[in-house]
Amino acid sequence: MTTVHTLARPALIGLATGGRSTYGLTALALTAGRRDPSWMSSTATRALLGLAAAGETVADKLPATPSRLETGPLAGRLALGAAAGAIVVRREQGPVAVGAIVGGLGALAGSWLGAHWRGWAAPRLSRDLPGALAEDVTAAGLAAMAVA
């Protein structure tokens, strides 16, 4: 049975992944338990995903970083959102395919919302950095809510 609760977690983790592509899987790895695939709770996975999240947080602020709405970056976010959505639903022994679909759709929405937020905020805040930092906090908060 699919419930609102079953859909909320993959939607939240997908939104987080749309904002910062590595935040969803990083949150899952940091909170991995017995219901997760064994690779999620390994020290190596946690370290690699933590480094990836830190690197993405920095790289996102660089002017050479491509738009998340370009085909390659968007496809990556959709795939990572789907994976994160499937894993978070698997924790509750829910329908993994539904989690993957909702996570992917959440990543699509998060990508679009994040890009448009930055485009709206930058001219109003005189530069991009404050909007980017707000997006970092939002994505981290969404990921944390999804795994809480």
Side-chain angles (χ1 to χ4, degrees):
M1 180 167 100
T2 304
T3 65
V4 171
H5 185 261
T6 304
L7 299 177
R9 289 184 188 278
L12 289 170
I13 210 151
L15 284 167
T17 302
R20 296 290 174 271
S21 62
T22 55
Y23 282 21
L25 287 177
T26 301
L28 286 163
L30 293 175
T31 59
R34 62 180 174 78
R35 291 186 187 164
D36 292 307
S38 60
W39 61 268
M40 283 298 291
S41 60
S42 78
T43 302
T45 298
R46 291 176 182 192
L48 287 173
L49 285 170
L51 288 171
E56 180 182 10
T57 301
V58 172
D60 174 72
K61 317 306 181 278
L62 302 175
T65 301
S67 169
R68 72 187 87 195
L69 299 179
E70 290 181 12
T71 303
L74 185 58
R77 287 172 193 266
L78 294 176
L80 292 171
I87 292 168
V88 79
V89 167
R90 182 176 184 234
R91 286 184 174 183
E92 298 177 14
Q93 299 174 341
V96 174
V98 171
I101 291 166
V102 172
L105 291 172
L108 179 63
S111 296
W112 188 86
L113 290 168
H116 286 81
W117 155 253
R118 296 274 290 276
W120 179 89
R124 287 162 179 79
L125 301 173
S126 301
R127 57 192 185 135
D128 185 56
L129 185 60
L133 294 173
E135 190 181 8
D136 291 339
V137 171
T138 302
L142 290 167
M145 287 188 330
V147 298

PDB file of all heavy atoms in Angstrom, residues 83-118:
ATOM      1  N   ALA A  83      17.569   6.982  -7.423  1.00  0.00           N
ATOM      2  CA  ALA A  83      18.270   6.034  -6.544  1.00  0.00           C
ATOM      3  C   ALA A  83      17.996   6.352  -5.076  1.00  0.00           C
ATOM      4  O   ALA A  83      17.683   5.455  -4.278  1.00  0.00           O
ATOM      5  CB  ALA A  83      19.774   6.068  -6.824  1.00  0.00           C
ATOM      6  N   ALA A  84      18.108   7.625  -4.719  1.00  0.00           N
ATOM      7  CA  ALA A  84      17.865   8.025  -3.329  1.00  0.00           C
ATOM      8  C   ALA A  84      16.413   7.749  -2.937  1.00  0.00           C
ATOM      9  O   ALA A  84      16.143   7.263  -1.831  1.00  0.00           O
ATOM     10  CB  ALA A  84      18.211   9.500  -3.141  1.00  0.00           C
ATOM     11  N   GLY A  85      15.478   8.026  -3.831  1.00  0.00           N
ATOM     12  CA  GLY A  85      14.071   7.756  -3.548  1.00  0.00           C
ATOM     13  C   GLY A  85      13.804   6.282  -3.332  1.00  0.00           C
ATOM     14  O   GLY A  85      13.061   5.890  -2.427  1.00  0.00           O
ATOM     15  N   ALA A  86      14.422   5.441  -4.150  1.00  0.00           N
ATOM     16  CA  ALA A  86      14.251   3.992  -3.993  1.00  0.00           C
ATOM     17  C   ALA A  86      14.819   3.513  -2.667  1.00  0.00           C
ATOM     18  O   ALA A  86      14.192   2.703  -1.968  1.00  0.00           O
ATOM     19  CB  ALA A  86      14.929   3.267  -5.154  1.00  0.00           C
ATOM     20  N   ILE A  87      15.984   4.024  -2.296  1.00  0.00           N
ATOM     21  CA  ILE A  87      16.619   3.573  -1.048  1.00  0.00           C
ATOM     22  C   ILE A  87      15.815   4.023   0.170  1.00  0.00           C
ATOM     23  O   ILE A  87      15.610   3.257   1.109  1.00  0.00           O
ATOM     24  CB  ILE A  87      18.081   4.059  -0.973  1.00  0.00           C
ATOM     25  CG1 ILE A  87      18.913   3.355  -2.042  1.00  0.00           C
ATOM     26  CG2 ILE A  87      18.668   3.804   0.413  1.00  0.00           C
ATOM     27  CD1 ILE A  87      20.291   3.951  -2.252  1.00  0.00           C
ATOM     28  N   VAL A  88      15.348   5.260   0.159  1.00  0.00           N
ATOM     29  CA  VAL A  88      14.611   5.748   1.330  1.00  0.00           C
ATOM     30  C   VAL A  88      13.291   4.991   1.502  1.00  0.00           C
ATOM     31  O   VAL A  88      12.865   4.718   2.620  1.00  0.00           O
ATOM     32  CB  VAL A  88      14.429   7.289   1.277  1.00  0.00           C
ATOM     33  CG1 VAL A  88      13.312   7.707   0.354  1.00  0.00           C
ATOM     34  CG2 VAL A  88      14.198   7.859   2.668  1.00  0.00           C
ATOM     35  N   VAL A  89      12.658   4.594   0.409  1.00  0.00           N
ATOM     36  CA  VAL A  89      11.421   3.807   0.501  1.00  0.00           C
ATOM     37  C   VAL A  89      11.735   2.366   0.908  1.00  0.00           C
ATOM     38  O   VAL A  89      10.979   1.744   1.661  1.00  0.00           O
ATOM     39  CB  VAL A  89      10.644   3.867  -0.834  1.00  0.00           C
ATOM     40  CG1 VAL A  89       9.545   2.823  -0.884  1.00  0.00           C
ATOM     41  CG2 VAL A  89      10.052   5.247  -1.020  1.00  0.00           C
ATOM     42  N   ARG A  90      12.849   1.854   0.442  1.00  0.00           N
ATOM     43  CA  ARG A  90      13.253   0.482   0.819  1.00  0.00           C
ATOM     44  C   ARG A  90      13.423   0.366   2.326  1.00  0.00           C
ATOM     45  O   ARG A  90      13.133  -0.684   2.906  1.00  0.00           O
ATOM     46  CB  ARG A  90      14.546   0.119   0.102  1.00  0.00           C
ATOM     47  CG  ARG A  90      15.006  -1.286   0.397  1.00  0.00           C
ATOM     48  CD  ARG A  90      16.242  -1.637  -0.410  1.00  0.00           C
ATOM     49  NE  ARG A  90      16.601  -3.014  -0.168  1.00  0.00           N
ATOM     50  CZ  ARG A  90      17.791  -3.410   0.239  1.00  0.00           C
ATOM     51  NH1 ARG A  90      18.754  -2.539   0.405  1.00  0.00           N
ATOM     52  NH2 ARG A  90      18.046  -4.686   0.429  1.00  0.00           N
ATOM     53  N   ARG A  91      13.891   1.439   2.962  1.00  0.00           N
ATOM     54  CA  ARG A  91      14.064   1.419   4.417  1.00  0.00           C
ATOM     55  C   ARG A  91      12.759   1.086   5.128  1.00  0.00           C
ATOM     56  O   ARG A  91      12.775   0.488   6.197  1.00  0.00           O
ATOM     57  CB  ARG A  91      14.552   2.777   4.928  1.00  0.00           C
ATOM     58  CG  ARG A  91      15.978   3.055   4.632  1.00  0.00           C
ATOM     59  CD  ARG A  91      16.415   4.360   5.246  1.00  0.00           C
ATOM     60  NE  ARG A  91      17.844   4.524   5.059  1.00  0.00           N
ATOM     61  CZ  ARG A  91      18.543   5.524   5.524  1.00  0.00           C
ATOM     62  NH1 ARG A  91      17.945   6.490   6.206  1.00  0.00           N
ATOM     63  NH2 ARG A  91      19.840   5.594   5.313  1.00  0.00           N
ATOM     64  N   GLU A  92      11.661   1.501   4.553  1.00  0.00           N
ATOM     65  CA  GLU A  92      10.353   1.274   5.171  1.00  0.00           C
ATOM     66  C   GLU A  92       9.621   0.102   4.527  1.00  0.00           C
ATOM     67  O   GLU A  92       8.426  -0.061   4.732  1.00  0.00           O
ATOM     68  CB  GLU A  92       9.524   2.544   5.083  1.00  0.00           C
ATOM     69  CG  GLU A  92      10.170   3.687   5.833  1.00  0.00           C
ATOM     70  CD  GLU A  92       9.405   4.991   5.703  1.00  0.00           C
ATOM     71  OE1 GLU A  92       8.244   4.970   5.257  1.00  0.00           O
ATOM     72  OE2 GLU A  92       9.963   6.016   6.078  1.00  0.00           O
ATOM     73  N   GLN A  93      10.346  -0.661   3.730  1.00  0.00           N
ATOM     74  CA  GLN A  93       9.808  -1.825   3.033  1.00  0.00           C
ATOM     75  C   GLN A  93       8.599  -1.455   2.173  1.00  0.00           C
ATOM     76  O   GLN A  93       7.636  -2.196   2.064  1.00  0.00           O
ATOM     77  CB  GLN A  93       9.479  -2.938   4.027  1.00  0.00           C
ATOM     78  CG  GLN A  93      10.718  -3.396   4.765  1.00  0.00           C
ATOM     79  CD  GLN A  93      10.427  -4.385   5.858  1.00  0.00           C
ATOM     80  OE1 GLN A  93       9.312  -4.518   6.333  1.00  0.00           O
ATOM     81  NE2 GLN A  93      11.459  -5.090   6.277  1.00  0.00           N
ATOM     82  N   GLY A  94       8.701  -0.266   1.548  1.00  0.00           N
ATOM     83  CA  GLY A  94       7.655   0.195   0.647  1.00  0.00           C
ATOM     84  C   GLY A  94       7.982  -0.171  -0.787  1.00  0.00           C
ATOM     85  O   GLY A  94       8.965  -0.862  -1.064  1.00  0.00           O
ATOM     86  N   PRO A  95       7.161   0.303  -1.709  1.00  0.00           N
ATOM     87  CA  PRO A  95       7.346  -0.015  -3.133  1.00  0.00           C
ATOM     88  C   PRO A  95       8.528   0.766  -3.721  1.00  0.00           C
ATOM     89  O   PRO A  95       8.440   1.963  -3.967  1.00  0.00           O
ATOM     90  CB  PRO A  95       6.020   0.401  -3.763  1.00  0.00           C
ATOM     91  CG  PRO A  95       5.451   1.425  -2.839  1.00  0.00           C
ATOM     92  CD  PRO A  95       5.957   1.083  -1.471  1.00  0.00           C
ATOM     93  N   VAL A  96       9.624   0.070  -3.938  1.00  0.00           N
ATOM     94  CA  VAL A  96      10.867   0.687  -4.383  1.00  0.00           C
ATOM     95  C   VAL A  96      10.694   1.415  -5.719  1.00  0.00           C
ATOM     96  O   VAL A  96      11.224   2.508  -5.912  1.00  0.00           O
ATOM     97  CB  VAL A  96      11.999  -0.370  -4.450  1.00  0.00           C
ATOM     98  CG1 VAL A  96      13.268   0.206  -5.048  1.00  0.00           C
ATOM     99  CG2 VAL A  96      12.275  -0.919  -3.048  1.00  0.00           C
ATOM    100  N   ALA A  97       9.944   0.831  -6.637  1.00  0.00           N
ATOM    101  CA  ALA A  97       9.740   1.475  -7.944  1.00  0.00           C
ATOM    102  C   ALA A  97       9.022   2.810  -7.784  1.00  0.00           C
ATOM    103  O   ALA A  97       9.370   3.797  -8.449  1.00  0.00           O
ATOM    104  CB  ALA A  97       8.955   0.557  -8.877  1.00  0.00           C
ATOM    105  N   VAL A  98       8.053   2.859  -6.896  1.00  0.00           N
ATOM    106  CA  VAL A  98       7.346   4.117  -6.635  1.00  0.00           C
ATOM    107  C   VAL A  98       8.319   5.136  -6.043  1.00  0.00           C
ATOM    108  O   VAL A  98       8.321   6.309  -6.423  1.00  0.00           O
ATOM    109  CB  VAL A  98       6.135   3.890  -5.705  1.00  0.00           C
ATOM    110  CG1 VAL A  98       5.530   5.213  -5.252  1.00  0.00           C
ATOM    111  CG2 VAL A  98       5.092   3.029  -6.395  1.00  0.00           C
ATOM    112  N   GLY A  99       9.152   4.692  -5.127  1.00  0.00           N
ATOM    113  CA  GLY A  99      10.157   5.583  -4.542  1.00  0.00           C
ATOM    114  C   GLY A  99      11.100   6.145  -5.588  1.00  0.00           C
ATOM    115  O   GLY A  99      11.448   7.325  -5.558  1.00  0.00           O
ATOM    116  N   ALA A 100      11.505   5.304  -6.530  1.00  0.00           N
ATOM    117  CA  ALA A 100      12.404   5.756  -7.592  1.00  0.00           C
ATOM    118  C   ALA A 100      11.726   6.792  -8.482  1.00  0.00           C
ATOM    119  O   ALA A 100      12.329   7.816  -8.832  1.00  0.00           O
ATOM    120  CB  ALA A 100      12.874   4.559  -8.425  1.00  0.00           C
ATOM    121  N   ILE A 101      10.487   6.547  -8.831  1.00  0.00           N
ATOM    122  CA  ILE A 101       9.762   7.492  -9.692  1.00  0.00           C
ATOM    123  C   ILE A 101       9.557   8.823  -8.969  1.00  0.00           C
ATOM    124  O   ILE A 101       9.833   9.894  -9.526  1.00  0.00           O
ATOM    125  CB  ILE A 101       8.410   6.893 -10.140  1.00  0.00           C
ATOM    126  CG1 ILE A 101       8.661   5.722 -11.100  1.00  0.00           C
ATOM    127  CG2 ILE A 101       7.515   7.953 -10.781  1.00  0.00           C
ATOM    128  CD1 ILE A 101       7.442   4.857 -11.341  1.00  0.00           C
ATOM    129  N   VAL A 102       9.110   8.760  -7.724  1.00  0.00           N
ATOM    130  CA  VAL A 102       8.859   9.987  -6.964  1.00  0.00           C
ATOM    131  C   VAL A 102      10.173  10.724  -6.692  1.00  0.00           C
ATOM    132  O   VAL A 102      10.235  11.955  -6.786  1.00  0.00           O
ATOM    133  CB  VAL A 102       8.098   9.677  -5.663  1.00  0.00           C
ATOM    134  CG1 VAL A 102       7.995  10.906  -4.766  1.00  0.00           C
ATOM    135  CG2 VAL A 102       6.712   9.140  -5.986  1.00  0.00           C
ATOM    136  N   GLY A 103      11.230   9.987  -6.380  1.00  0.00           N
ATOM    137  CA  GLY A 103      12.541  10.617  -6.167  1.00  0.00           C
ATOM    138  C   GLY A 103      13.056  11.309  -7.421  1.00  0.00           C
ATOM    139  O   GLY A 103      13.586  12.411  -7.369  1.00  0.00           O
ATOM    140  N   GLY A 104      12.889  10.656  -8.567  1.00  0.00           N
ATOM    141  CA  GLY A 104      13.302  11.263  -9.832  1.00  0.00           C
ATOM    142  C   GLY A 104      12.501  12.506 -10.160  1.00  0.00           C
ATOM    143  O   GLY A 104      13.053  13.529 -10.586  1.00  0.00           O
ATOM    144  N   LEU A 105      11.188  12.433  -9.949  1.00  0.00           N
ATOM    145  CA  LEU A 105      10.350  13.608 -10.194  1.00  0.00           C
ATOM    146  C   LEU A 105      10.678  14.738  -9.213  1.00  0.00           C
ATOM    147  O   LEU A 105      10.676  15.917  -9.580  1.00  0.00           O
ATOM    148  CB  LEU A 105       8.868  13.236 -10.101  1.00  0.00           C
ATOM    149  CG  LEU A 105       8.341  12.347 -11.220  1.00  0.00           C
ATOM    150  CD1 LEU A 105       6.917  11.894 -10.924  1.00  0.00           C
ATOM    151  CD2 LEU A 105       8.431  13.053 -12.566  1.00  0.00           C
ATOM    152  N   GLY A 106      10.971  14.374  -7.977  1.00  0.00           N
ATOM    153  CA  GLY A 106      11.393  15.374  -6.994  1.00  0.00           C
ATOM    154  C   GLY A 106      12.685  16.046  -7.409  1.00  0.00           C
ATOM    155  O   GLY A 106      12.849  17.264  -7.264  1.00  0.00           O
ATOM    156  N   ALA A 107      13.616  15.263  -7.949  1.00  0.00           N
ATOM    157  CA  ALA A 107      14.888  15.834  -8.421  1.00  0.00           C
ATOM    158  C   ALA A 107      14.657  16.778  -9.594  1.00  0.00           C
ATOM    159  O   ALA A 107      15.306  17.829  -9.693  1.00  0.00           O
ATOM    160  CB  ALA A 107      15.858  14.720  -8.807  1.00  0.00           C
ATOM    161  N   LEU A 108      13.744  16.428 -10.472  1.00  0.00           N
ATOM    162  CA  LEU A 108      13.409  17.312 -11.586  1.00  0.00           C
ATOM    163  C   LEU A 108      12.843  18.632 -11.058  1.00  0.00           C
ATOM    164  O   LEU A 108      13.274  19.716 -11.470  1.00  0.00           O
ATOM    165  CB  LEU A 108      12.402  16.624 -12.514  1.00  0.00           C
ATOM    166  CG  LEU A 108      11.927  17.434 -13.717  1.00  0.00           C
ATOM    167  CD1 LEU A 108      13.088  17.752 -14.650  1.00  0.00           C
ATOM    168  CD2 LEU A 108      10.839  16.664 -14.459  1.00  0.00           C
ATOM    169  N   ALA A 109      11.910  18.536 -10.129  1.00  0.00           N
ATOM    170  CA  ALA A 109      11.320  19.742  -9.543  1.00  0.00           C
ATOM    171  C   ALA A 109      12.374  20.553  -8.784  1.00  0.00           C
ATOM    172  O   ALA A 109      12.436  21.787  -8.915  1.00  0.00           O
ATOM    173  CB  ALA A 109      10.172  19.361  -8.610  1.00  0.00           C
ATOM    174  N   GLY A 110      13.207  19.882  -8.001  1.00  0.00           N
ATOM    175  CA  GLY A 110      14.243  20.579  -7.239  1.00  0.00           C
ATOM    176  C   GLY A 110      15.263  21.265  -8.128  1.00  0.00           C
ATOM    177  O   GLY A 110      15.738  22.355  -7.824  1.00  0.00           O
ATOM    178  N   SER A 111      15.588  20.625  -9.247  1.00  0.00           N
ATOM    179  CA  SER A 111      16.527  21.231 -10.202  1.00  0.00           C
ATOM    180  C   SER A 111      15.935  22.510 -10.784  1.00  0.00           C
ATOM    181  O   SER A 111      16.597  23.555 -10.833  1.00  0.00           O
ATOM    182  CB  SER A 111      16.842  20.255 -11.335  1.00  0.00           C
ATOM    183  OG  SER A 111      17.512  19.127 -10.835  1.00  0.00           O
ATOM    184  N   TRP A 112      14.703  22.431 -11.225  1.00  0.00           N
ATOM    185  CA  TRP A 112      14.042  23.589 -11.828  1.00  0.00           C
ATOM    186  C   TRP A 112      13.851  24.695 -10.800  1.00  0.00           C
ATOM    187  O   TRP A 112      14.165  25.860 -11.071  1.00  0.00           O
ATOM    188  CB  TRP A 112      12.688  23.157 -12.414  1.00  0.00           C
ATOM    189  CG  TRP A 112      12.053  24.243 -13.210  1.00  0.00           C
ATOM    190  CD1 TRP A 112      12.257  24.519 -14.522  1.00  0.00           C
ATOM    191  CD2 TRP A 112      11.123  25.214 -12.732  1.00  0.00           C
ATOM    192  NE1 TRP A 112      11.502  25.602 -14.896  1.00  0.00           N
ATOM    193  CE2 TRP A 112      10.797  26.049 -13.816  1.00  0.00           C
ATOM    194  CE3 TRP A 112      10.524  25.448 -11.490  1.00  0.00           C
ATOM    195  CZ2 TRP A 112       9.905  27.110 -13.693  1.00  0.00           C
ATOM    196  CZ3 TRP A 112       9.642  26.509 -11.374  1.00  0.00           C
ATOM    197  CH2 TRP A 112       9.341  27.319 -12.464  1.00  0.00           C
ATOM    198  N   LEU A 113      13.365  24.346  -9.608  1.00  0.00           N
ATOM    199  CA  LEU A 113      13.148  25.353  -8.570  1.00  0.00           C
ATOM    200  C   LEU A 113      14.454  26.006  -8.140  1.00  0.00           C
ATOM    201  O   LEU A 113      14.519  27.224  -7.959  1.00  0.00           O
ATOM    202  CB  LEU A 113      12.444  24.725  -7.358  1.00  0.00           C
ATOM    203  CG  LEU A 113      10.989  24.336  -7.573  1.00  0.00           C
ATOM    204  CD1 LEU A 113      10.499  23.456  -6.417  1.00  0.00           C
ATOM    205  CD2 LEU A 113      10.125  25.576  -7.723  1.00  0.00           C
ATOM    206  N   GLY A 114      15.490  25.200  -7.971  1.00  0.00           N
ATOM    207  CA  GLY A 114      16.783  25.744  -7.555  1.00  0.00           C
ATOM    208  C   GLY A 114      17.369  26.699  -8.583  1.00  0.00           C
ATOM    209  O   GLY A 114      17.854  27.780  -8.245  1.00  0.00           O
ATOM    210  N   ALA A 115      17.315  26.312  -9.849  1.00  0.00           N
ATOM    211  CA  ALA A 115      17.846  27.176 -10.913  1.00  0.00           C
ATOM    212  C   ALA A 115      17.062  28.477 -10.993  1.00  0.00           C
ATOM    213  O   ALA A 115      17.652  29.562 -11.130  1.00  0.00           O
ATOM    214  CB  ALA A 115      17.806  26.440 -12.252  1.00  0.00           C
ATOM    215  N   HIS A 116      15.758  28.389 -10.881  1.00  0.00           N
ATOM    216  CA  HIS A 116      14.946  29.598 -10.960  1.00  0.00           C
ATOM    217  C   HIS A 116      15.078  30.457  -9.700  1.00  0.00           C
ATOM    218  O   HIS A 116      15.044  31.685  -9.784  1.00  0.00           O
ATOM    219  CB  HIS A 116      13.503  29.246 -11.295  1.00  0.00           C
ATOM    220  CG  HIS A 116      13.374  28.860 -12.730  1.00  0.00           C
ATOM    221  ND1 HIS A 116      13.684  27.593 -13.189  1.00  0.00           N
ATOM    222  CD2 HIS A 116      13.045  29.574 -13.823  1.00  0.00           C
ATOM    223  CE1 HIS A 116      13.521  27.553 -14.495  1.00  0.00           C
ATOM    224  NE2 HIS A 116      13.137  28.740 -14.907  1.00  0.00           N
ATOM    225  N   TRP A 117      15.250  29.847  -8.556  1.00  0.00           N
ATOM    226  CA  TRP A 117      15.516  30.592  -7.329  1.00  0.00           C
ATOM    227  C   TRP A 117      16.795  31.411  -7.471  1.00  0.00           C
ATOM    228  O   TRP A 117      16.826  32.590  -7.173  1.00  0.00           O
ATOM    229  CB  TRP A 117      15.614  29.649  -6.126  1.00  0.00           C
ATOM    230  CG  TRP A 117      16.436  30.213  -4.996  1.00  0.00           C
ATOM    231  CD1 TRP A 117      17.680  29.825  -4.623  1.00  0.00           C
ATOM    232  CD2 TRP A 117      16.079  31.288  -4.126  1.00  0.00           C
ATOM    233  NE1 TRP A 117      18.127  30.588  -3.569  1.00  0.00           N
ATOM    234  CE2 TRP A 117      17.159  31.502  -3.248  1.00  0.00           C
ATOM    235  CE3 TRP A 117      14.962  32.109  -4.003  1.00  0.00           C
ATOM    236  CZ2 TRP A 117      17.160  32.482  -2.251  1.00  0.00           C
ATOM    237  CZ3 TRP A 117      14.954  33.089  -3.011  1.00  0.00           C
ATOM    238  CH2 TRP A 117      16.033  33.261  -2.158  1.00  0.00           C
ATOM    239  N   ARG A 118      17.851  30.755  -7.936  1.00  0.00           N
ATOM    240  CA  ARG A 118      19.129  31.450  -8.089  1.00  0.00           C
ATOM    241  C   ARG A 118      19.012  32.599  -9.088  1.00  0.00           C
ATOM    242  O   ARG A 118      19.566  33.665  -8.883  1.00  0.00           O
ATOM    243  CB  ARG A 118      20.225  30.475  -8.515  1.00  0.00           C
ATOM    244  CG  ARG A 118      20.546  29.388  -7.501  1.00  0.00           C
ATOM    245  CD  ARG A 118      21.542  29.806  -6.464  1.00  0.00           C
ATOM    246  NE  ARG A 118      22.862  29.966  -6.996  1.00  0.00           N
ATOM    247  CZ  ARG A 118      23.751  28.999  -7.175  1.00  0.00           C
ATOM    248  NH1 ARG A 118      23.458  27.758  -6.865  1.00  0.00           N
ATOM    249  NH2 ARG A 118      24.944  29.275  -7.651  1.00  0.00           N
TER     250      ARG A 118
END
